[in-house]
mmCIF file of all heavy atoms in Angstrom:
data_model
loop_
_atom_site.group_PDB
_atom_site.id
_atom_site.type_symbol
_atom_site.label_atom_id
_atom_site.label_comp_id
_atom_site.label_asym_id
_atom_site.label_seq_id
_atom_site.Cartn_x
_atom_site.Cartn_y
_atom_site.Cartn_z
ATOM 1 N N LYS J 27 -0.751 22.864 -25.252
ATOM 2 C CA LYS J 27 -2.024 23.500 -25.566
ATOM 3 C C LYS J 27 -3.172 22.549 -25.257
ATOM 4 O O LYS J 27 -3.119 21.366 -25.593
ATOM 5 C CB LYS J 27 -2.057 23.922 -27.030
ATOM 6 C CG LYS J 27 -1.093 25.062 -27.326
ATOM 7 C CD LYS J 27 -1.240 25.543 -28.751
ATOM 8 C CE LYS J 27 -0.379 26.762 -28.984
ATOM 9 N NZ LYS J 27 -0.482 27.250 -30.359
ATOM 10 N N LYS J 28 -4.217 23.078 -24.638
ATOM 11 C CA LYS J 28 -5.368 22.273 -24.234
ATOM 12 C C LYS J 28 -6.055 21.632 -25.431
ATOM 13 O O LYS J 28 -6.579 20.528 -25.331
ATOM 14 C CB LYS J 28 -6.365 23.131 -23.457
ATOM 15 C CG LYS J 28 -5.862 23.530 -22.104
ATOM 16 C CD LYS J 28 -6.856 24.401 -21.368
ATOM 17 C CE LYS J 28 -6.245 24.818 -20.038
ATOM 18 N NZ LYS J 28 -7.072 25.784 -19.335
ATOM 19 N N GLU J 29 -6.047 22.306 -26.561
ATOM 20 C CA GLU J 29 -6.740 21.764 -27.736
ATOM 21 C C GLU J 29 -6.065 20.509 -28.296
ATOM 22 O O GLU J 29 -6.634 19.817 -29.133
ATOM 23 C CB GLU J 29 -6.920 22.834 -28.832
ATOM 24 C CG GLU J 29 -5.648 23.501 -29.293
ATOM 25 C CD GLU J 29 -5.325 24.796 -28.549
ATOM 26 O OE1 GLU J 29 -5.720 24.955 -27.387
ATOM 27 O OE2 GLU J 29 -4.652 25.637 -29.154
ATOM 28 N N HIS J 30 -4.864 20.185 -27.823
ATOM 29 C CA HIS J 30 -4.153 18.983 -28.273
ATOM 30 C C HIS J 30 -4.241 17.851 -27.257
ATOM 31 O O HIS J 30 -3.609 16.803 -27.422
ATOM 32 C CB HIS J 30 -2.679 19.302 -28.538
ATOM 33 C CG HIS J 30 -2.472 20.372 -29.559
ATOM 34 N ND1 HIS J 30 -1.304 21.086 -29.650
ATOM 35 C CD2 HIS J 30 -3.273 20.856 -30.538
ATOM 36 C CE1 HIS J 30 -1.396 21.963 -30.627
ATOM 37 N NE2 HIS J 30 -2.581 21.846 -31.182
ATOM 38 N N LYS J 31 -5.029 18.037 -26.206
ATOM 39 C CA LYS J 31 -5.094 17.099 -25.087
ATOM 40 C C LYS J 31 -5.372 15.660 -25.516
ATOM 41 O O LYS J 31 -4.761 14.720 -25.005
ATOM 42 C CB LYS J 31 -6.167 17.567 -24.108
ATOM 43 C CG LYS J 31 -6.322 16.674 -22.910
ATOM 44 C CD LYS J 31 -7.415 17.149 -21.989
ATOM 45 C CE LYS J 31 -7.588 16.171 -20.850
ATOM 46 N NZ LYS J 31 -8.657 16.590 -19.953
ATOM 47 N N GLU J 32 -6.299 15.461 -26.469
ATOM 48 C CA GLU J 32 -6.664 14.097 -26.865
ATOM 49 C C GLU J 32 -5.463 13.330 -27.414
ATOM 50 O O GLU J 32 -5.341 12.127 -27.221
ATOM 51 C CB GLU J 32 -7.808 14.105 -27.877
ATOM 52 C CG GLU J 32 -7.425 14.676 -29.229
ATOM 53 C CD GLU J 32 -8.564 14.679 -30.228
ATOM 54 O OE1 GLU J 32 -8.795 13.622 -30.855
ATOM 55 O OE2 GLU J 32 -9.210 15.730 -30.357
ATOM 56 N N TYR J 33 -4.535 14.007 -28.067
ATOM 57 C CA TYR J 33 -3.352 13.346 -28.624
ATOM 58 C C TYR J 33 -2.364 12.974 -27.519
ATOM 59 O O TYR J 33 -1.745 11.909 -27.568
ATOM 60 C CB TYR J 33 -2.678 14.241 -29.671
ATOM 61 C CG TYR J 33 -3.613 14.558 -30.803
ATOM 62 C CD1 TYR J 33 -4.246 15.793 -30.884
ATOM 63 C CD2 TYR J 33 -3.884 13.610 -31.793
ATOM 64 C CE1 TYR J 33 -5.116 16.084 -31.924
ATOM 65 C CE2 TYR J 33 -4.754 13.891 -32.834
ATOM 66 C CZ TYR J 33 -5.369 15.124 -32.891
ATOM 67 O OH TYR J 33 -6.234 15.397 -33.908
ATOM 68 N N TYR J 34 -2.225 13.847 -26.524
ATOM 69 C CA TYR J 34 -1.332 13.544 -25.409
ATOM 70 C C TYR J 34 -1.876 12.375 -24.599
ATOM 71 O O TYR J 34 -1.114 11.538 -24.119
ATOM 72 C CB TYR J 34 -1.143 14.777 -24.512
ATOM 73 C CG TYR J 34 -0.689 16.011 -25.269
ATOM 74 C CD1 TYR J 34 -1.256 17.246 -25.023
ATOM 75 C CD2 TYR J 34 0.289 15.927 -26.252
ATOM 76 C CE1 TYR J 34 -0.848 18.379 -25.723
ATOM 77 C CE2 TYR J 34 0.693 17.046 -26.958
ATOM 78 C CZ TYR J 34 0.117 18.261 -26.688
ATOM 79 O OH TYR J 34 0.517 19.373 -27.373
ATOM 80 N N GLN J 35 -3.198 12.316 -24.488
ATOM 81 C CA GLN J 35 -3.842 11.202 -23.775
ATOM 82 C C GLN J 35 -3.562 9.886 -24.487
ATOM 83 O O GLN J 35 -3.277 8.878 -23.852
ATOM 84 C CB GLN J 35 -5.357 11.451 -23.666
ATOM 85 C CG GLN J 35 -6.036 10.549 -22.672
ATOM 86 C CD GLN J 35 -5.590 10.813 -21.251
ATOM 87 O OE1 GLN J 35 -5.310 11.946 -20.865
ATOM 88 N NE2 GLN J 35 -5.494 9.764 -20.475
ATOM 89 N N LYS J 36 -3.622 9.890 -25.824
ATOM 90 C CA LYS J 36 -3.324 8.681 -26.597
ATOM 91 C C LYS J 36 -1.883 8.239 -26.368
ATOM 92 O O LYS J 36 -1.600 7.046 -26.286
ATOM 93 C CB LYS J 36 -3.550 8.923 -28.089
ATOM 94 C CG LYS J 36 -4.999 9.008 -28.487
ATOM 95 C CD LYS J 36 -5.117 9.278 -29.982
ATOM 96 C CE LYS J 36 -6.540 9.513 -30.409
ATOM 97 N NZ LYS J 36 -6.636 9.850 -31.839
ATOM 98 N N LEU J 37 -0.980 9.195 -26.274
ATOM 99 C CA LEU J 37 0.429 8.882 -26.028
ATOM 100 C C LEU J 37 0.596 8.166 -24.702
ATOM 101 O O LEU J 37 1.286 7.154 -24.605
ATOM 102 C CB LEU J 37 1.254 10.170 -26.040
ATOM 103 C CG LEU J 37 2.731 10.026 -25.694
ATOM 104 C CD1 LEU J 37 3.459 9.269 -26.807
ATOM 105 C CD2 LEU J 37 3.352 11.380 -25.472
ATOM 106 N N ILE J 38 -0.086 8.648 -23.691
ATOM 107 C CA ILE J 38 0.021 8.049 -22.362
ATOM 108 C C ILE J 38 -0.609 6.663 -22.324
ATOM 109 O O ILE J 38 -0.092 5.739 -21.703
ATOM 110 C CB ILE J 38 -0.624 8.976 -21.312
ATOM 111 C CG1 ILE J 38 0.210 10.237 -21.169
ATOM 112 C CG2 ILE J 38 -0.765 8.278 -19.972
ATOM 113 C CD1 ILE J 38 -0.464 11.337 -20.376
ATOM 114 N N GLU J 39 -1.744 6.504 -23.012
ATOM 115 C CA GLU J 39 -2.480 5.248 -22.965
ATOM 116 C C GLU J 39 -1.934 4.184 -23.904
ATOM 117 O O GLU J 39 -2.297 3.022 -23.795
ATOM 118 C CB GLU J 39 -3.956 5.510 -23.298
ATOM 119 C CG GLU J 39 -4.648 6.326 -22.229
ATOM 120 C CD GLU J 39 -6.032 6.782 -22.640
ATOM 121 O OE1 GLU J 39 -6.434 6.560 -23.802
ATOM 122 O OE2 GLU J 39 -6.726 7.366 -21.792
ATOM 123 N N ASN J 40 -1.068 4.545 -24.844
ATOM 124 C CA ASN J 40 -0.512 3.609 -25.817
ATOM 125 C C ASN J 40 0.334 2.560 -25.101
ATOM 126 O O ASN J 40 1.311 2.894 -24.439
ATOM 127 C CB ASN J 40 0.333 4.379 -26.836
ATOM 128 C CG ASN J 40 0.864 3.498 -27.934
ATOM 129 O OD1 ASN J 40 0.855 2.282 -27.848
ATOM 130 N ND2 ASN J 40 1.345 4.128 -28.980
ATOM 131 N N PRO J 41 0.001 1.259 -25.238
ATOM 132 C CA PRO J 41 0.750 0.204 -24.546
ATOM 133 C C PRO J 41 2.230 0.180 -24.912
ATOM 134 O O PRO J 41 3.058 -0.193 -24.102
ATOM 135 C CB PRO J 41 0.072 -1.099 -24.998
ATOM 136 C CG PRO J 41 -1.232 -0.699 -25.574
ATOM 137 C CD PRO J 41 -1.113 0.732 -26.006
ATOM 138 N N GLU J 42 2.581 0.606 -26.132
ATOM 139 C CA GLU J 42 3.983 0.620 -26.529
ATOM 140 C C GLU J 42 4.782 1.642 -25.733
ATOM 141 O O GLU J 42 5.993 1.534 -25.609
ATOM 142 C CB GLU J 42 4.101 0.941 -28.026
ATOM 143 C CG GLU J 42 3.535 -0.144 -28.908
ATOM 144 C CD GLU J 42 3.536 0.261 -30.378
ATOM 145 O OE1 GLU J 42 4.183 1.256 -30.736
ATOM 146 O OE2 GLU J 42 2.889 -0.435 -31.156
ATOM 147 N N ASN J 43 4.102 2.645 -25.185
ATOM 148 C CA ASN J 43 4.777 3.689 -24.411
ATOM 149 C C ASN J 43 4.702 3.426 -22.917
ATOM 150 O O ASN J 43 5.037 4.288 -22.125
ATOM 151 C CB ASN J 43 4.142 5.054 -24.715
ATOM 152 C CG ASN J 43 4.331 5.451 -26.147
ATOM 153 O OD1 ASN J 43 5.337 5.141 -26.744
ATOM 154 N ND2 ASN J 43 3.343 6.121 -26.710
ATOM 155 N N ASN J 44 4.245 2.252 -22.519
ATOM 156 C CA ASN J 44 4.059 1.973 -21.108
ATOM 157 C C ASN J 44 5.258 1.325 -20.431
ATOM 158 O O ASN J 44 5.131 0.807 -19.333
ATOM 159 C CB ASN J 44 2.805 1.128 -20.886
ATOM 160 C CG ASN J 44 1.559 1.961 -20.932
ATOM 161 O OD1 ASN J 44 1.614 3.174 -20.758
ATOM 162 N ND2 ASN J 44 0.427 1.338 -21.192
ATOM 163 N N THR J 45 6.398 1.325 -21.087
ATOM 164 C CA THR J 45 7.589 0.830 -20.416
ATOM 165 C C THR J 45 8.071 1.899 -19.441
ATOM 166 O O THR J 45 7.891 3.088 -19.667
ATOM 167 C CB THR J 45 8.704 0.503 -21.433
ATOM 168 O OG1 THR J 45 9.002 1.681 -22.176
ATOM 169 C CG2 THR J 45 8.274 -0.610 -22.366
ATOM 170 N N LEU J 46 8.666 1.472 -18.357
ATOM 171 C CA LEU J 46 9.128 2.396 -17.337
ATOM 172 C C LEU J 46 10.642 2.533 -17.390
ATOM 173 O O LEU J 46 11.358 1.534 -17.458
ATOM 174 C CB LEU J 46 8.705 1.906 -15.949
ATOM 175 C CG LEU J 46 7.196 1.848 -15.700
ATOM 176 C CD1 LEU J 46 6.910 1.177 -14.360
ATOM 177 C CD2 LEU J 46 6.607 3.240 -15.736
ATOM 178 N N SER J 47 11.114 3.765 -17.340
ATOM 179 C CA SER J 47 12.553 4.031 -17.330
ATOM 180 C C SER J 47 13.132 3.644 -15.970
ATOM 181 O O SER J 47 12.397 3.427 -14.998
ATOM 182 C CB SER J 47 12.804 5.515 -17.585
ATOM 183 O OG SER J 47 12.311 6.280 -16.489
ATOM 184 N N GLN J 48 14.446 3.586 -15.911
ATOM 185 C CA GLN J 48 15.121 3.281 -14.644
ATOM 186 C C GLN J 48 14.754 4.334 -13.597
ATOM 187 O O GLN J 48 14.486 4.003 -12.439
ATOM 188 C CB GLN J 48 16.638 3.236 -14.847
ATOM 189 C CG GLN J 48 17.417 2.860 -13.597
ATOM 190 C CD GLN J 48 17.144 1.442 -13.130
ATOM 191 O OE1 GLN J 48 16.905 0.548 -13.925
ATOM 192 N NE2 GLN J 48 17.177 1.228 -11.831
ATOM 193 N N ALA J 49 14.710 5.605 -14.005
ATOM 194 C CA ALA J 49 14.361 6.679 -13.079
ATOM 195 C C ALA J 49 12.931 6.510 -12.555
ATOM 196 O O ALA J 49 12.665 6.725 -11.372
ATOM 197 C CB ALA J 49 14.517 8.030 -13.769
ATOM 198 N N ALA J 50 12.002 6.113 -13.434
ATOM 199 C CA ALA J 50 10.617 5.903 -13.019
ATOM 200 C C ALA J 50 10.528 4.734 -12.044
ATOM 201 O O ALA J 50 9.788 4.793 -11.053
ATOM 202 C CB ALA J 50 9.728 5.664 -14.230
ATOM 203 N N LEU J 51 11.279 3.660 -12.313
ATOM 204 C CA LEU J 51 11.278 2.510 -11.404
ATOM 205 C C LEU J 51 11.843 2.878 -10.032
ATOM 206 O O LEU J 51 11.320 2.465 -8.997
ATOM 207 C CB LEU J 51 12.071 1.349 -12.016
ATOM 208 C CG LEU J 51 11.396 0.646 -13.191
ATOM 209 C CD1 LEU J 51 12.364 -0.323 -13.855
ATOM 210 C CD2 LEU J 51 10.134 -0.071 -12.745
ATOM 211 N N GLU J 52 12.918 3.682 -10.023
ATOM 212 C CA GLU J 52 13.500 4.122 -8.758
ATOM 213 C C GLU J 52 12.493 4.966 -7.975
ATOM 214 O O GLU J 52 12.317 4.782 -6.769
ATOM 215 C CB GLU J 52 14.768 4.951 -9.003
ATOM 216 C CG GLU J 52 15.940 4.148 -9.489
ATOM 217 C CD GLU J 52 17.114 5.025 -9.899
ATOM 218 O OE1 GLU J 52 17.105 6.243 -9.611
ATOM 219 O OE2 GLU J 52 18.043 4.495 -10.523
ATOM 220 N N THR J 53 11.824 5.864 -8.683
ATOM 221 C CA THR J 53 10.832 6.728 -8.042
ATOM 222 C C THR J 53 9.677 5.896 -7.491
ATOM 223 O O THR J 53 9.231 6.111 -6.362
ATOM 224 C CB THR J 53 10.324 7.785 -9.038
ATOM 225 O OG1 THR J 53 11.457 8.527 -9.527
ATOM 226 C CG2 THR J 53 9.343 8.736 -8.387
ATOM 227 N N LEU J 54 9.210 4.934 -8.273
ATOM 228 C CA LEU J 54 8.138 4.043 -7.810
ATOM 229 C C LEU J 54 8.555 3.269 -6.559
ATOM 230 O O LEU J 54 7.765 3.117 -5.628
ATOM 231 C CB LEU J 54 7.770 3.048 -8.910
ATOM 232 C CG LEU J 54 6.614 3.404 -9.808
ATOM 233 C CD1 LEU J 54 6.446 2.358 -10.894
ATOM 234 C CD2 LEU J 54 5.332 3.588 -9.038
ATOM 235 N N ALA J 55 9.779 2.780 -6.547
ATOM 236 C CA ALA J 55 10.261 2.026 -5.381
ATOM 237 C C ALA J 55 10.293 2.914 -4.143
ATOM 238 O O ALA J 55 9.869 2.497 -3.054
ATOM 239 C CB ALA J 55 11.649 1.452 -5.659
ATOM 240 N N ILE J 56 10.757 4.141 -4.301
ATOM 241 C CA ILE J 56 10.798 5.071 -3.165
ATOM 242 C C ILE J 56 9.392 5.321 -2.639
ATOM 243 O O ILE J 56 9.154 5.293 -1.431
ATOM 244 C CB ILE J 56 11.502 6.384 -3.573
ATOM 245 C CG1 ILE J 56 12.999 6.131 -3.763
ATOM 246 C CG2 ILE J 56 11.262 7.477 -2.538
ATOM 247 C CD1 ILE J 56 13.758 7.274 -4.397
ATOM 248 N N ILE J 57 8.452 5.535 -3.548
ATOM 249 C CA ILE J 57 7.075 5.779 -3.131
ATOM 250 C C ILE J 57 6.495 4.535 -2.458
ATOM 251 O O ILE J 57 5.880 4.622 -1.387
ATOM 252 C CB ILE J 57 6.206 6.219 -4.328
ATOM 253 C CG1 ILE J 57 6.685 7.569 -4.853
ATOM 254 C CG2 ILE J 57 4.732 6.287 -3.937
ATOM 255 C CD1 ILE J 57 6.101 7.956 -6.203
ATOM 256 N N ALA J 58 6.687 3.378 -3.077
ATOM 257 C CA ALA J 58 6.106 2.139 -2.549
ATOM 258 C C ALA J 58 6.596 1.837 -1.136
ATOM 259 O O ALA J 58 5.810 1.425 -0.278
ATOM 260 C CB ALA J 58 6.429 0.971 -3.479
ATOM 261 N N TYR J 59 7.875 2.041 -0.874
ATOM 262 C CA TYR J 59 8.436 1.698 0.432
ATOM 263 C C TYR J 59 8.277 2.806 1.472
ATOM 264 O O TYR J 59 8.485 2.557 2.662
ATOM 265 C CB TYR J 59 9.918 1.331 0.309
ATOM 266 C CG TYR J 59 10.124 -0.067 -0.226
ATOM 267 C CD1 TYR J 59 10.419 -0.283 -1.563
ATOM 268 C CD2 TYR J 59 10.008 -1.173 0.607
ATOM 269 C CE1 TYR J 59 10.596 -1.561 -2.064
ATOM 270 C CE2 TYR J 59 10.191 -2.462 0.125
ATOM 271 C CZ TYR J 59 10.485 -2.646 -1.214
ATOM 272 O OH TYR J 59 10.664 -3.925 -1.690
ATOM 273 N N ASN J 60 7.937 4.025 1.050
ATOM 274 C CA ASN J 60 7.875 5.147 1.994
ATOM 275 C C ASN J 60 6.536 5.880 1.968
ATOM 276 O O ASN J 60 6.430 6.972 2.494
ATOM 277 C CB ASN J 60 8.995 6.145 1.673
ATOM 278 C CG ASN J 60 10.349 5.528 1.813
ATOM 279 O OD1 ASN J 60 10.846 5.327 2.905
ATOM 280 N ND2 ASN J 60 10.964 5.182 0.686
ATOM 281 N N GLN J 61 5.515 5.316 1.334
ATOM 282 C CA GLN J 61 4.248 6.024 1.175
ATOM 283 C C GLN J 61 3.516 6.211 2.491
ATOM 284 O O GLN J 61 3.657 5.363 3.366
ATOM 285 C CB GLN J 61 3.379 5.315 0.152
ATOM 286 C CG GLN J 61 3.010 3.887 0.466
ATOM 287 C CD GLN J 61 2.307 3.246 -0.719
ATOM 288 O OE1 GLN J 61 1.474 3.848 -1.368
ATOM 289 N NE2 GLN J 61 2.651 2.006 -1.008
ATOM 290 N N PRO J 62 2.766 7.298 2.618
ATOM 291 C CA PRO J 62 2.689 8.431 1.700
ATOM 292 C C PRO J 62 3.931 9.308 1.835
ATOM 293 O O PRO J 62 4.515 9.412 2.914
ATOM 294 C CB PRO J 62 1.430 9.173 2.155
ATOM 295 C CG PRO J 62 1.316 8.862 3.613
ATOM 296 C CD PRO J 62 1.887 7.474 3.779
ATOM 297 N N ILE J 63 4.315 9.943 0.737
ATOM 298 C CA ILE J 63 5.558 10.703 0.683
ATOM 299 C C ILE J 63 5.375 11.912 -0.225
ATOM 300 O O ILE J 63 4.605 11.854 -1.184
ATOM 301 C CB ILE J 63 6.714 9.783 0.199
ATOM 302 C CG1 ILE J 63 8.062 10.478 0.269
ATOM 303 C CG2 ILE J 63 6.423 9.239 -1.187
ATOM 304 C CD1 ILE J 63 9.251 9.533 0.050
ATOM 305 N N THR J 64 6.075 13.000 0.083
ATOM 306 C CA THR J 64 5.982 14.213 -0.732
ATOM 307 C C THR J 64 7.014 14.162 -1.862
ATOM 308 O O THR J 64 7.993 13.409 -1.795
ATOM 309 C CB THR J 64 6.242 15.486 0.094
ATOM 310 O OG1 THR J 64 7.603 15.479 0.546
ATOM 311 C CG2 THR J 64 5.292 15.586 1.278
ATOM 312 N N ARG J 65 6.810 14.995 -2.878
ATOM 313 C CA ARG J 65 7.752 15.060 -3.990
ATOM 314 C C ARG J 65 9.126 15.531 -3.504
ATOM 315 O O ARG J 65 10.149 15.029 -3.946
ATOM 316 C CB ARG J 65 7.250 15.988 -5.102
ATOM 317 C CG ARG J 65 8.194 15.994 -6.317
ATOM 318 C CD ARG J 65 7.770 16.961 -7.376
ATOM 319 N NE ARG J 65 7.683 18.321 -6.932
ATOM 320 C CZ ARG J 65 8.723 19.158 -6.830
ATOM 321 N NH1 ARG J 65 9.928 18.757 -7.137
ATOM 322 N NH2 ARG J 65 8.547 20.387 -6.425
ATOM 323 N N VAL J 66 9.144 16.459 -2.567
ATOM 324 C CA VAL J 66 10.418 16.961 -2.048
ATOM 325 C C VAL J 66 11.200 15.839 -1.364
ATOM 326 O O VAL J 66 12.417 15.723 -1.538
ATOM 327 C CB VAL J 66 10.183 18.148 -1.082
ATOM 328 C CG1 VAL J 66 11.457 18.550 -0.376
ATOM 329 C CG2 VAL J 66 9.585 19.334 -1.834
ATOM 330 N N GLU J 67 10.503 14.992 -0.617
ATOM 331 C CA GLU J 67 11.175 13.866 0.035
ATOM 332 C C GLU J 67 11.715 12.882 -0.999
ATOM 333 O O GLU J 67 12.818 12.339 -0.842
ATOM 334 C CB GLU J 67 10.203 13.165 0.987
ATOM 335 C CG GLU J 67 9.843 14.015 2.198
ATOM 336 C CD GLU J 67 8.694 13.443 3.014
ATOM 337 O OE1 GLU J 67 7.735 12.906 2.428
ATOM 338 O OE2 GLU J 67 8.763 13.550 4.263
ATOM 339 N N ILE J 68 10.960 12.666 -2.073
ATOM 340 C CA ILE J 68 11.435 11.795 -3.156
ATOM 341 C C ILE J 68 12.669 12.414 -3.793
ATOM 342 O O ILE J 68 13.673 11.732 -4.028
ATOM 343 C CB ILE J 68 10.330 11.568 -4.211
ATOM 344 C CG1 ILE J 68 9.115 10.879 -3.600
ATOM 345 C CG2 ILE J 68 10.872 10.762 -5.393
ATOM 346 C CD1 ILE J 68 7.872 10.914 -4.482
ATOM 347 N N ASP J 69 12.617 13.716 -4.066
ATOM 348 C CA ASP J 69 13.754 14.434 -4.664
ATOM 349 C C ASP J 69 14.999 14.288 -3.793
ATOM 350 O O ASP J 69 16.103 14.070 -4.298
ATOM 351 C CB ASP J 69 13.435 15.919 -4.841
ATOM 352 C CG ASP J 69 12.373 16.201 -5.885
ATOM 353 O OD1 ASP J 69 11.958 15.264 -6.597
ATOM 354 O OD2 ASP J 69 11.945 17.370 -5.988
ATOM 355 N N GLU J 70 14.828 14.407 -2.474
ATOM 356 C CA GLU J 70 15.964 14.291 -1.554
ATOM 357 C C GLU J 70 16.568 12.890 -1.608
ATOM 358 O O GLU J 70 17.781 12.730 -1.585
ATOM 359 C CB GLU J 70 15.533 14.631 -0.131
ATOM 360 C CG GLU J 70 15.292 16.104 0.083
ATOM 361 C CD GLU J 70 14.717 16.425 1.455
ATOM 362 O OE1 GLU J 70 14.516 15.491 2.279
ATOM 363 O OE2 GLU J 70 14.459 17.619 1.701
ATOM 364 N N MET J 71 15.727 11.876 -1.680
ATOM 365 C CA MET J 71 16.230 10.495 -1.723
ATOM 366 C C MET J 71 16.948 10.195 -3.031
ATOM 367 O O MET J 71 17.954 9.496 -3.032
ATOM 368 C CB MET J 71 15.087 9.508 -1.510
ATOM 369 C CG MET J 71 14.585 9.471 -0.105
ATOM 370 S SD MET J 71 13.334 8.185 0.048
ATOM 371 C CE MET J 71 12.844 8.421 1.737
ATOM 372 N N ARG J 72 16.403 10.685 -4.149
ATOM 373 C CA ARG J 72 17.002 10.415 -5.455
ATOM 374 C C ARG J 72 18.120 11.395 -5.784
ATOM 375 O O ARG J 72 18.963 11.119 -6.629
ATOM 376 C CB ARG J 72 15.953 10.463 -6.567
ATOM 377 C CG ARG J 72 15.064 9.244 -6.549
ATOM 378 C CD ARG J 72 14.421 8.938 -7.876
ATOM 379 N NE ARG J 72 15.384 8.587 -8.897
ATOM 380 C CZ ARG J 72 15.486 9.194 -10.066
ATOM 381 N NH1 ARG J 72 14.681 10.177 -10.396
ATOM 382 N NH2 ARG J 72 16.382 8.821 -10.944
ATOM 383 N N GLY J 73 18.092 12.578 -5.180
ATOM 384 C CA GLY J 73 19.122 13.574 -5.449
ATOM 385 C C GLY J 73 18.864 14.394 -6.707
ATOM 386 O O GLY J 73 19.740 15.138 -7.133
ATOM 387 N N VAL J 74 17.701 14.241 -7.314
ATOM 388 C CA VAL J 74 17.326 15.007 -8.510
ATOM 389 C C VAL J 74 15.839 15.339 -8.440
ATOM 390 O O VAL J 74 15.093 14.711 -7.697
ATOM 391 C CB VAL J 74 17.605 14.237 -9.826
ATOM 392 C CG1 VAL J 74 19.085 13.992 -10.027
ATOM 393 C CG2 VAL J 74 16.852 12.925 -9.872
#
């Protein structure tokens, strides 16, 4: 819901929540080495 946006923003900006999962790191690596790249191409490389 749009009326809850400020709380979701706090969640994203909270330093405690800024750790990256293995999946996020893999996705970042694919983007970094193949940029610019589409989401479909990333999906094909990761298989999910």
Side-chain angles (χ1 to χ4, degrees):
K27 291 185 174 179
K28 290 179 183 173
E29 56 267 28
H30 302 160
K31 180 182 176 181
E32 68 180 277
Y33 300 102
Y34 306 136
Q35 194 66 35
K36 287 179 186 177
L37 176 69
I38 292 168
E39 293 171 354
N40 184 345
E42 293 174 13
N43 296 326
N44 281 340
T45 58
L46 296 173
S47 67
Q48 183 65 33
L51 288 171
E52 289 172 11
T53 303
L54 265 176
I56 289 170
I57 295 168
Y59 282 99
N60 298 284
Q61 60 188 318
I63 186 169
T64 66
R65 184 184 59 82
V66 172
E67 291 169 322
I68 299 166
D69 292 353
E70 287 174 1
M71 288 184 183
R72 286 204 65 235
V74 295

